[in-house]
Amino acid sequence: MTQKSWSLAIHGGAGTMSPDVMTDAQQREYKAALQAALDAGAAVLARGGAALDAVEAAIVVLEDDPHFNAGRGAVFTYEGVNELDASIMDGRDRSAGAVTGVTHVKNPVKLARAVMEDSPHVFLSREGAEQFAREQGLEIVDAAWFATPERRRQLEELKAKKLSWFDVDLKYGTVGAVAVDSEGHAAAATSTGGLTGKRWGRIGDSPVIGAGNYADDRACAVSATGAGEFFIRAGVAHEICARMRLLGEDAQTAADAVIAEVGKMGGDGGVIVAAPNGTTVFSFNTPGMYRGRADSNGRSEVAIFAGE
């Protein structure tokens, strides 16, 4: 990479979305939402900002947009609560922060970063995470801020059909961002509302460092979306970085290999990867993944379906 080059990739979840079930208007809405997040992160990098700031900026936009299952627009637990998870990681020194089960923090990714930078810990949960957020002066909102009619309808449909805790529309709505800045540093961030109808304080891969999120300047930055239980078992994000660092695989080869492994285990989903050489790649085994990427060479593109 040259000194001034940078790259960024984002995702808004993977799943069964297809042109057959999404109207042109819906596709335009999602692409505009993805572009807004991509532009927010790219603006940071274009002015020489840090990868860490760029991924946070992109995630905040996605958390605030009800199209995605993170922050406002998060899915409901079986008990009808929006429980939020997030993580962030700095590839410079592999410092990381993560939170799970928060219900009043407007932007969980900001709390994850505060955990990383202002606490001696990596991972905080539920009431303790909320208390720390208040002590750090982060924006606290009423729980109603996160609730949307469409997510409530999905929960009611799940209960009416007596489905399991899997999402009724088979979409994994996690959001994520990965970046490499002009100094060659990598960062990753991931945020989610989890699965519709999740129970018993279930935690997926999104806030788990090494599963749904990982960054290491020596290899890459990764953010995942999918069936979290499988991504945890496979240690997806770390596994991709390890294959690149130890086996010398390029980002696409490593990502495809690990997603294939998840598929063999029975899991669906995908990843975005940013490598220090400026490469950004996507890999997913679902019909679609909301995604986008931008770089210092002028690339700026968003897509939804496989093959785009």
Side-chain angles (χ1 to χ4, degrees), residues 68-70 73-83 85 148-160 162-174 192-200 202 226 229:
F68 303 104
N69 173 19
V75 299
F76 286 93
T77 68
Y78 196 84
E79 290 75 25
V81 178
N82 304 115
E83 290 185 354
D85 305 335
T148 61
E150 172 61 13
R151 296 304 192 191
R152 195 171 292 281
R153 182 199 65 76
Q154 290 173 357
L155 177 63
E156 290 167 356
E157 180 182 339
L158 177 141
K159 289 185 173 182
K162 294 184 168 58
L163 300 172
S164 70
W165 39 265
F166 283 105
D167 280 304
V168 292
D169 55 359
L170 294 178
K171 292 188 183 73
Y172 305 101
T174 307
T192 191
L195 293 173
T196 298
K198 64 183 179 180
R199 305 181 77 174
W200 313 299
R202 177 261 185 191
E229 283 68 18

Side-chain angles (χ1 to χ4, degrees), residues 85 100 123 192 194 198 201-208 211-212 227-229 232:
D85 305 335
T100 185
F123 205 167
T192 191
K198 64 183 179 180
R202 177 261 185 191
I203 303 168
D205 65 305
S206 297
V208 178
E229 283 68 18
I232 292 172

Side-chain angles (χ1 to χ4, degrees), residues 228-277:
E229 283 68 18
F230 295 95
F231 281 67
I232 292 172
R233 288 163 56 192
V236 164
H238 182 271
E239 187 85 348
I240 291 169
C241 287
R243 292 180 74 109
M244 291 178 65
R245 182 168 60 90
L246 301 176
L247 301 181
E249 294 180 348
D250 63 71
Q252 193 71 62
T253 300
D256 288 348
V258 177
I259 290 300
E261 186 179 334
V262 169
K264 289 177 184 176
M265 294 167 67
D268 292 334
V271 293
I272 55 174
V273 185
N277 67 1

Side-chain angles (χ1 to χ4, degrees), residues 63-123:
E63 287 179 337
D64 288 346
D65 192 315
H67 283 92
F68 303 104
N69 173 19
R72 191 171 188 221
V75 299
F76 286 93
T77 68
Y78 196 84
E79 290 75 25
V81 178
N82 304 115
E83 290 185 354
L84 312 169
D85 305 335
S87 59
I88 195 167
M89 189 163 184
D90 187 342
R92 290 176 296 184
D93 59 359
R94 283 171 285 163
S95 58
V99 295
T100 185
V102 298
T103 55
H104 292 279
V105 180
K106 183 173 181 284
N107 292 111
V109 70
K110 291 186 177 182
L111 176 54
R113 184 165 180 177
V115 172
M116 177 180 74
E117 294 180 338
D118 300 314
S119 87
H121 308 301
V122 169
F123 205 167

Side-chain angles (χ1 to χ4, degrees), residues 203-228:
I203 303 168
D205 65 305
S206 297
V208 178
I209 302 302
N213 202 70
Y214 202 74
D216 183 344
D217 278 6
R218 300 172 299 174
C220 64
V222 182
S223 175
T225 173

Side-chain angles (χ1 to χ4, degrees), residues 6-10 31-43 45-46 278 280 282 291-303 308:
W6 54 264
S7 58
L8 169 72
I10 64 170
K31 286 186 174 181
L34 289 166
Q35 191 67 55
L38 193 64
D39 291 346
L45 294 166
T280 51
F282 309 109
R291 63 198 187 277
R293 58 184 170 183
D295 62 33
S296 50
N297 293 322
R299 169 186 274 174
S300 181
E301 59 190 23
V302 295
E308 282 192 273

